[in-house]
Amino acid sequence: MLTTPDSLLKYLTDVTDLRLPDGHFIDGQYCAARSGRSMQSEDPGRGEAFADFARGDADDIADAVSSSRKAFALWRRTPPAERGRILARTAELIRRNSERLAIVECLDSGKPIGEARGDVSGAARTFEYYAGACDKLEGSTFPLPSNYVGFSQFEPVGVTAHIIPWNFPISTAARGMAPALAAGCTVVAKPAEQSPLTALLLAELLVEAGLPAGVCNVVTGTGAEAGAPLVASTGIDHVTFTGSVTTGGHVMRACADNVTRSVMELGGKSPVVVLSDCDFDSTIANVAGAIFEHAGQICSAGSRLVIEAGIHDRFVEALGKKARTISLGHGLRSPDMGPVSSAAQRDKILGFLDRARVRGAEFISGGQVSANTESGKGYFIEPTIVANRPEDDELVQEEIFGPVLTVQKADDPVHALHLANSTRFGLVAGVFTADFAKAHQLARDIDAGQIYINEYFAGGIEVPFGGNRQSGFGREKGIEGLKSYCKVKSIAARIG
């Protein structure tokens, strides 16, 4: 049963009932950092710390990797059906603990409680999906001459490292952990220091569901002190990283030293292509949701509106009106939009907006800091729409990672395609039109890993996700995501 908005507000001052973890989760139990150090997690909605957690370093990483290496020998030989049963029980435990997890996620990341509940539900569905895939990972046979037999089989790649971002902590943790465990791999996860708590709670639930100790370990701390030694460890066989292009480059260089496999999801500058024949009201709602959900702090956010000239003026005016009605507030108060993640993130976004003003940009809505009206605290930026900007403008080319939508006017669908492909990113794109042929022509020709047609963020865990160009490589979600944690062994035998 969901808690009511009023009953949620007690967690603004007292989190005792949440039973928050304050240590690493290694070898099936919580433990303090070897150094004894700790750090604090901040509630972005209030700009205040609300929890302590362990500040890990290379020694803690070494303990976690050693634990997962030992556990791998057991877990890889656990029958696939039994692995599936454990993941299915995990899904049920996530659902049973969903409100606690959502409140923790809301406090840790700042997102509205409704969005956090959706993320927790999605995490449960992720474990449910991969629970059903464990015993369906099948190899192939090869058409060799009659006196030979040839076949392939999937094997788990080994010990996997997961660098989890701060914007979708439980979702991204589940998206990597569940397929890795389904494939027979073990896991060492390093959640972002801004939002470490739900990854720890997820590891705890996995053990409660029957996962052997050491199969999933979580070490908290900073990227420099814990993340870097994790991806550089010779005991790691695969790295899944979600984060910025710059940090991803550092991770890839560390992987190269040990020839470690990797999947890289590095963000984007995703276009939402709107043609004149779109369903006007539905498209307005979708464009707003694509950029203002979680205050635009989504790698696949629709941060560029590429709109056909015929409806440009009317559409942008209506979108501006909608943006100005969006309520802001602490996530536990169920606003339309919450804060950005930190003071540093707020200041980075404001830097983009201040430089745009110097260049003469026109703001349709927002563009300023907005105080949390309940407390006067927190890191809030108004929902912002910036009028038509040239193709080489910084707001068009750079990932802002905030509630900032940049408009680009297209002469026709051909021009819209050109604009859609005019950045170095290629993660996702949206297409809105009533013309089935135009929709699929654009979907064919836009260079992105995933295309949404007439509904932004369409799909689910079943649909592979990942980017092209500087948005990264490899795929998560779906069966492709499961195969990311497998290596293929081919066997050929002479039988006659």
Side-chain angles (χ1 to χ4, degrees), residues 259-309:
V259 197
T260 304
R261 298 165 39 138
S262 63
V263 169
M264 294 281 148
E265 199 269 273
L266 305 179
K269 191 68 181 176
S270 300
V272 186
V273 178
V274 175
L275 301 186
S276 297
D277 62 354
C278 70
D279 182 317
F280 193 90
D281 292 337
S282 173
T283 305
I284 287 284
N286 270 272
V287 172
I291 187 58
F292 298 132
E293 182 178 329
H294 195 20
Q297 300 170 118
I298 306 176
C299 54
S300 53
S303 56
R304 290 188 294 138
L305 171 59
V306 177
I307 182 164
E308 202 167 12

Short mmCIF file of all heavy atoms in Angstrom, two decimals, residues 259-309:
data_model
loop_
_atom_site.label_atom_id
_atom_site.label_comp_id
_atom_site.label_asym_id
_atom_site.label_seq_id
_atom_site.Cartn_x
_atom_site.Cartn_y
_atom_site.Cartn_z
N VAL A 259 42.90 -5.64 -21.42
CA VAL A 259 42.06 -6.21 -22.47
C VAL A 259 40.75 -6.71 -21.86
O VAL A 259 40.33 -7.85 -22.07
CB VAL A 259 42.80 -7.32 -23.24
CG1 VAL A 259 42.10 -7.62 -24.56
CG2 VAL A 259 44.25 -6.96 -23.52
N THR A 260 40.10 -5.83 -21.11
CA THR A 260 38.84 -6.14 -20.45
C THR A 260 37.67 -5.72 -21.34
O THR A 260 37.65 -4.61 -21.87
CB THR A 260 38.74 -5.40 -19.10
OG1 THR A 260 39.86 -5.73 -18.30
CG2 THR A 260 37.46 -5.78 -18.36
N ARG A 261 36.72 -6.62 -21.51
CA ARG A 261 35.53 -6.29 -22.29
C ARG A 261 34.74 -5.18 -21.62
O ARG A 261 34.81 -5.00 -20.40
CB ARG A 261 34.63 -7.53 -22.40
CG ARG A 261 35.25 -8.69 -23.12
CD ARG A 261 34.49 -9.98 -22.89
NE ARG A 261 33.03 -9.83 -22.86
CZ ARG A 261 32.17 -10.66 -23.44
NH1 ARG A 261 32.63 -11.70 -24.12
NH2 ARG A 261 30.89 -10.48 -23.35
N SER A 262 33.95 -4.45 -22.42
CA SER A 262 33.17 -3.37 -21.82
C SER A 262 31.93 -3.08 -22.65
O SER A 262 31.88 -3.33 -23.86
CB SER A 262 34.00 -2.10 -21.67
OG SER A 262 34.42 -1.60 -22.93
N VAL A 263 30.92 -2.53 -21.96
CA VAL A 263 29.75 -1.91 -22.57
C VAL A 263 29.73 -0.48 -22.07
O VAL A 263 29.82 -0.23 -20.86
CB VAL A 263 28.45 -2.65 -22.18
CG1 VAL A 263 27.23 -1.83 -22.60
CG2 VAL A 263 28.40 -4.02 -22.84
N MET A 264 29.62 0.48 -22.99
CA MET A 264 29.70 1.89 -22.65
C MET A 264 28.41 2.61 -23.06
O MET A 264 28.05 2.61 -24.24
CB MET A 264 30.88 2.55 -23.38
CG MET A 264 32.23 2.04 -22.94
SD MET A 264 32.73 2.79 -21.40
CE MET A 264 33.70 1.44 -20.70
N GLU A 265 27.73 3.20 -22.08
CA GLU A 265 26.57 4.05 -22.38
C GLU A 265 26.93 5.45 -21.92
O GLU A 265 27.01 5.72 -20.72
CB GLU A 265 25.33 3.51 -21.66
CG GLU A 265 24.04 4.04 -22.24
CD GLU A 265 23.59 5.31 -21.55
OE1 GLU A 265 22.90 5.21 -20.54
OE2 GLU A 265 23.95 6.39 -22.05
N LEU A 266 27.16 6.35 -22.88
CA LEU A 266 27.85 7.60 -22.60
C LEU A 266 27.00 8.86 -22.80
O LEU A 266 27.53 9.95 -22.92
CB LEU A 266 29.11 7.70 -23.46
CG LEU A 266 30.08 6.51 -23.34
CD1 LEU A 266 31.28 6.71 -24.25
CD2 LEU A 266 30.52 6.32 -21.91
N GLY A 267 25.70 8.71 -22.83
CA GLY A 267 24.87 9.91 -22.89
C GLY A 267 24.49 10.32 -24.30
O GLY A 267 24.80 9.63 -25.28
N GLY A 268 23.83 11.46 -24.42
CA GLY A 268 23.36 11.86 -25.74
C GLY A 268 22.87 13.29 -25.79
O GLY A 268 22.90 14.04 -24.81
N LYS A 269 22.45 13.66 -26.98
CA LYS A 269 21.83 14.96 -27.25
C LYS A 269 20.68 14.67 -28.20
O LYS A 269 20.69 15.04 -29.37
CB LYS A 269 22.85 15.91 -27.87
CG LYS A 269 22.37 17.35 -27.92
CD LYS A 269 22.26 17.97 -26.54
CE LYS A 269 21.76 19.40 -26.63
NZ LYS A 269 21.56 19.98 -25.29
N SER A 270 19.67 14.00 -27.67
CA SER A 270 18.70 13.31 -28.52
C SER A 270 17.67 14.25 -29.12
O SER A 270 17.08 15.08 -28.42
CB SER A 270 18.01 12.22 -27.72
OG SER A 270 18.96 11.27 -27.25
N PRO A 271 17.41 14.11 -30.42
CA PRO A 271 16.41 14.94 -31.10
C PRO A 271 15.01 14.35 -30.98
O PRO A 271 14.81 13.14 -30.99
CB PRO A 271 16.87 14.90 -32.56
CG PRO A 271 17.48 13.53 -32.70
CD PRO A 271 18.12 13.22 -31.37
N VAL A 272 14.02 15.25 -30.87
CA VAL A 272 12.62 14.86 -31.00
C VAL A 272 12.12 15.53 -32.27
O VAL A 272 11.95 16.75 -32.32
CB VAL A 272 11.78 15.32 -29.79
CG1 VAL A 272 10.37 14.77 -29.90
CG2 VAL A 272 12.42 14.87 -28.49
N VAL A 273 11.93 14.75 -33.32
CA VAL A 273 11.54 15.27 -34.62
C VAL A 273 10.02 15.32 -34.69
O VAL A 273 9.34 14.29 -34.59
CB VAL A 273 12.11 14.39 -35.75
CG1 VAL A 273 11.64 14.91 -37.11
CG2 VAL A 273 13.64 14.36 -35.69
N VAL A 274 9.49 16.53 -34.86
CA VAL A 274 8.04 16.74 -34.89
C VAL A 274 7.66 17.29 -36.25
O VAL A 274 8.09 18.38 -36.64
CB VAL A 274 7.60 17.71 -33.77
CG1 VAL A 274 6.12 18.01 -33.89
CG2 VAL A 274 7.93 17.12 -32.40
N LEU A 275 6.85 16.53 -37.00
CA LEU A 275 6.39 16.98 -38.31
C LEU A 275 5.01 17.63 -38.19
O LEU A 275 4.28 17.44 -37.21
CB LEU A 275 6.34 15.80 -39.28
CG LEU A 275 7.68 15.06 -39.50
CD1 LEU A 275 7.53 14.00 -40.59
CD2 LEU A 275 8.81 16.03 -39.83
N SER A 276 4.63 18.37 -39.22
CA SER A 276 3.43 19.20 -39.16
C SER A 276 2.14 18.41 -39.00
O SER A 276 1.13 18.95 -38.51
CB SER A 276 3.34 20.06 -40.42
OG SER A 276 4.42 20.96 -40.50
N ASP A 277 2.15 17.13 -39.38
CA ASP A 277 0.92 16.34 -39.31
C ASP A 277 0.81 15.54 -38.02
O ASP A 277 0.00 14.61 -37.92
CB ASP A 277 0.83 15.41 -40.52
CG ASP A 277 1.98 14.40 -40.56
OD1 ASP A 277 2.89 14.50 -39.71
OD2 ASP A 277 1.96 13.52 -41.44
N CYS A 278 1.59 15.88 -37.00
CA CYS A 278 1.56 15.12 -35.75
C CYS A 278 0.24 15.32 -35.01
O CYS A 278 -0.51 16.27 -35.27
CB CYS A 278 2.71 15.55 -34.84
SG CYS A 278 2.51 17.21 -34.16
N ASP A 279 -0.05 14.45 -34.06
CA ASP A 279 -1.16 14.65 -33.12
C ASP A 279 -0.70 15.73 -32.14
O ASP A 279 0.11 15.49 -31.25
CB ASP A 279 -1.46 13.34 -32.39
CG ASP A 279 -2.63 13.45 -31.42
OD1 ASP A 279 -2.71 14.47 -30.69
OD2 ASP A 279 -3.44 12.52 -31.36
N PHE A 280 -1.24 16.94 -32.29
CA PHE A 280 -0.68 18.12 -31.63
C PHE A 280 -0.63 17.98 -30.10
O PHE A 280 0.44 18.13 -29.49
CB PHE A 280 -1.51 19.35 -32.02
CG PHE A 280 -0.87 20.66 -31.67
CD1 PHE A 280 -0.03 21.31 -32.57
CD2 PHE A 280 -1.11 21.26 -30.44
CE1 PHE A 280 0.56 22.53 -32.24
CE2 PHE A 280 -0.53 22.47 -30.10
CZ PHE A 280 0.31 23.10 -31.00
N ASP A 281 -1.74 17.70 -29.48
CA ASP A 281 -1.79 17.67 -28.01
C ASP A 281 -0.95 16.55 -27.42
O ASP A 281 -0.24 16.74 -26.44
CB ASP A 281 -3.24 17.56 -27.53
CG ASP A 281 -4.06 18.81 -27.84
OD1 ASP A 281 -3.45 19.89 -28.01
OD2 ASP A 281 -5.30 18.70 -27.91
N SER A 282 -1.06 15.37 -28.04
CA SER A 282 -0.26 14.25 -27.56
C SER A 282 1.23 14.53 -27.70
O SER A 282 2.03 14.19 -26.81
CB SER A 282 -0.63 12.98 -28.34
OG SER A 282 0.23 11.92 -28.01
N THR A 283 1.62 15.16 -28.79
CA THR A 283 3.03 15.45 -29.02
C THR A 283 3.54 16.49 -28.04
O THR A 283 4.67 16.38 -27.54
CB THR A 283 3.26 15.91 -30.47
OG1 THR A 283 2.73 14.91 -31.36
CG2 THR A 283 4.74 16.10 -30.75
N ILE A 284 2.74 17.50 -27.72
CA ILE A 284 3.12 18.48 -26.70
C ILE A 284 3.45 17.77 -25.39
O ILE A 284 4.49 18.02 -24.76
CB ILE A 284 1.98 19.51 -26.46
CG1 ILE A 284 1.87 20.47 -27.65
CG2 ILE A 284 2.21 20.27 -25.16
CD1 ILE A 284 2.94 21.53 -27.70
N ALA A 285 2.57 16.87 -24.96
CA ALA A 285 2.79 16.15 -23.70
C ALA A 285 4.05 15.30 -23.77
O ALA A 285 4.83 15.23 -22.80
CB ALA A 285 1.58 15.28 -23.39
N ASN A 286 4.29 14.65 -24.90
CA ASN A 286 5.46 13.80 -25.04
C ASN A 286 6.76 14.61 -25.05
O ASN A 286 7.75 14.22 -24.43
CB ASN A 286 5.36 12.98 -26.32
CG ASN A 286 4.68 11.66 -26.11
OD1 ASN A 286 5.31 10.67 -25.77
ND2 ASN A 286 3.35 11.63 -26.30
N VAL A 287 6.77 15.74 -25.76
CA VAL A 287 7.97 16.56 -25.82
C VAL A 287 8.31 17.10 -24.43
O VAL A 287 9.48 17.10 -24.01
CB VAL A 287 7.80 17.71 -26.83
CG1 VAL A 287 8.97 18.69 -26.74
CG2 VAL A 287 7.69 17.15 -28.24
N ALA A 288 7.29 17.54 -23.67
CA ALA A 288 7.53 18.02 -22.32
C ALA A 288 8.05 16.91 -21.42
O ALA A 288 9.02 17.10 -20.66
CB ALA A 288 6.24 18.61 -21.74
N GLY A 289 7.44 15.74 -21.50
CA GLY A 289 7.90 14.63 -20.69
C GLY A 289 9.31 14.19 -21.03
O GLY A 289 10.09 13.79 -20.15
N ALA A 290 9.65 14.27 -22.32
CA ALA A 290 10.97 13.82 -22.77
C ALA A 290 12.11 14.63 -22.17
O ALA A 290 13.21 14.13 -21.99
CB ALA A 290 11.04 13.88 -24.30
N ILE A 291 11.86 15.91 -21.85
CA ILE A 291 12.93 16.75 -21.34
C ILE A 291 12.77 17.10 -19.86
O ILE A 291 13.76 17.33 -19.16
CB ILE A 291 13.06 18.06 -22.17
CG1 ILE A 291 14.29 18.87 -21.72
CG2 ILE A 291 11.81 18.89 -22.10
CD1 ILE A 291 15.61 18.14 -21.82
N PHE A 292 11.56 17.12 -19.33
CA PHE A 292 11.38 17.58 -17.96
C PHE A 292 11.24 16.45 -16.94
O PHE A 292 11.26 16.71 -15.74
CB PHE A 292 10.20 18.55 -17.87
CG PHE A 292 10.40 19.79 -18.71
CD1 PHE A 292 9.40 20.25 -19.56
CD2 PHE A 292 11.61 20.48 -18.66
CE1 PHE A 292 9.59 21.38 -20.34
CE2 PHE A 292 11.81 21.61 -19.45
CZ PHE A 292 10.81 22.07 -20.29
N GLU A 293 11.07 15.20 -17.39
CA GLU A 293 11.13 14.09 -16.44
C GLU A 293 12.51 14.09 -15.77
O GLU A 293 13.54 14.27 -16.41
CB GLU A 293 10.88 12.76 -17.16
CG GLU A 293 10.89 11.57 -16.21
CD GLU A 293 10.60 10.24 -16.88
OE1 GLU A 293 9.84 10.24 -17.88
OE2 GLU A 293 11.13 9.21 -16.41
N HIS A 294 12.51 13.87 -14.47
CA HIS A 294 13.74 13.89 -13.64
C HIS A 294 14.60 15.12 -13.95
O HIS A 294 15.82 15.04 -14.02
CB HIS A 294 14.54 12.61 -13.80
CG HIS A 294 15.59 12.43 -12.73
ND1 HIS A 294 15.56 13.09 -11.52
CD2 HIS A 294 16.72 11.67 -12.72
CE1 HIS A 294 16.61 12.73 -10.80
NE2 HIS A 294 17.32 11.87 -11.51
N ALA A 295 13.94 16.24 -14.18
CA ALA A 295 14.61 17.53 -14.43
C ALA A 295 15.63 17.42 -15.57
O ALA A 295 16.66 18.08 -15.56
CB ALA A 295 15.29 18.04 -13.16
N GLY A 296 15.31 16.59 -16.58
CA GLY A 296 16.17 16.47 -17.75
C GLY A 296 17.45 15.70 -17.51
O GLY A 296 18.30 15.63 -18.41
N GLN A 297 17.60 15.09 -16.35
CA GLN A 297 18.84 14.38 -16.01
C GLN A 297 18.75 12.92 -16.44
O GLN A 297 18.83 11.99 -15.63
CB GLN A 297 19.10 14.51 -14.51
CG GLN A 297 19.25 15.95 -14.06
CD GLN A 297 19.27 16.08 -12.55
OE1 GLN A 297 20.24 16.53 -11.97
NE2 GLN A 297 18.17 15.69 -11.92
N ILE A 298 18.55 12.74 -17.74
CA ILE A 298 18.40 11.41 -18.32
C ILE A 298 19.26 11.36 -19.57
O ILE A 298 19.20 12.27 -20.41
CB ILE A 298 16.92 11.14 -18.71
CG1 ILE A 298 16.00 11.37 -17.51
CG2 ILE A 298 16.75 9.74 -19.26
CD1 ILE A 298 14.52 11.22 -17.83
N CYS A 299 20.06 10.33 -19.71
CA CYS A 299 20.95 10.25 -20.86
C CYS A 299 20.16 10.26 -22.17
O CYS A 299 20.63 10.81 -23.18
CB CYS A 299 21.82 9.00 -20.77
SG CYS A 299 20.89 7.47 -20.56
N SER A 300 18.96 9.70 -22.15
CA SER A 300 18.14 9.63 -23.36
C SER A 300 17.09 10.73 -23.42
O SER A 300 16.14 10.64 -24.21
CB SER A 300 17.46 8.27 -23.45
OG SER A 300 16.73 7.98 -22.27
N ALA A 301 17.23 11.77 -22.61
CA ALA A 301 16.26 12.87 -22.63
C ALA A 301 16.16 13.48 -24.03
O ALA A 301 17.15 13.61 -24.75
CB ALA A 301 16.69 13.96 -21.64
N GLY A 302 14.95 13.86 -24.40
CA GLY A 302 14.76 14.54 -25.69
C GLY A 302 15.09 16.02 -25.52
O GLY A 302 14.21 16.85 -25.30
N SER A 303 16.35 16.36 -25.66
CA SER A 303 16.83 17.71 -25.32
C SER A 303 16.86 18.66 -26.51
O SER A 303 17.15 19.84 -26.35
CB SER A 303 18.22 17.63 -24.70
OG SER A 303 19.12 16.95 -25.56
N ARG A 304 16.54 18.14 -27.73
CA ARG A 304 16.46 19.00 -28.92
C ARG A 304 15.10 18.79 -29.59
O ARG A 304 14.76 17.67 -29.96
CB ARG A 304 17.56 18.65 -29.93
CG ARG A 304 18.95 19.04 -29.49
CD ARG A 304 19.95 18.85 -30.62
NE ARG A 304 20.12 17.45 -30.99
CZ ARG A 304 20.20 17.02 -32.24
NH1 ARG A 304 20.07 17.86 -33.27
NH2 ARG A 304 20.38 15.74 -32.49
N LEU A 305 14.36 19.85 -29.72
CA LEU A 305 13.10 19.80 -30.48
C LEU A 305 13.39 20.24 -31.91
O LEU A 305 13.71 21.39 -32.16
CB LEU A 305 12.06 20.73 -29.85
CG LEU A 305 10.77 20.96 -30.65
CD1 LEU A 305 10.04 19.63 -30.91
CD2 LEU A 305 9.87 21.95 -29.94
N VAL A 306 13.32 19.28 -32.83
CA VAL A 306 13.50 19.56 -34.26
C VAL A 306 12.11 19.57 -34.87
O VAL A 306 11.49 18.53 -35.09
CB VAL A 306 14.39 18.49 -34.92
CG1 VAL A 306 14.53 18.75 -36.42
CG2 VAL A 306 15.77 18.46 -34.25
N ILE A 307 11.60 20.78 -35.17
CA ILE A 307 10.18 20.89 -35.52
C ILE A 307 9.99 21.53 -36.88
O ILE A 307 10.64 22.53 -37.22
CB ILE A 307 9.42 21.69 -34.43
CG1 ILE A 307 7.94 21.78 -34.77
CG2 ILE A 307 10.04 23.06 -34.18
CD1 ILE A 307 7.08 22.19 -33.60
N GLU A 308 9.09 20.93 -37.66
CA GLU A 308 8.82 21.42 -39.00
C GLU A 308 8.22 22.83 -38.94
O GLU A 308 7.40 23.15 -38.07
CB GLU A 308 7.88 20.45 -39.72
CG GLU A 308 7.95 20.55 -41.23
CD GLU A 308 7.25 19.39 -41.93
OE1 GLU A 308 6.53 18.62 -41.27
OE2 GLU A 308 7.43 19.28 -43.15
N ALA A 309 8.63 23.67 -39.87
CA ALA A 309 8.29 25.09 -39.83
C ALA A 309 6.79 25.35 -39.83
O ALA A 309 6.32 26.33 -39.23
CB ALA A 309 8.94 25.80 -41.02
#
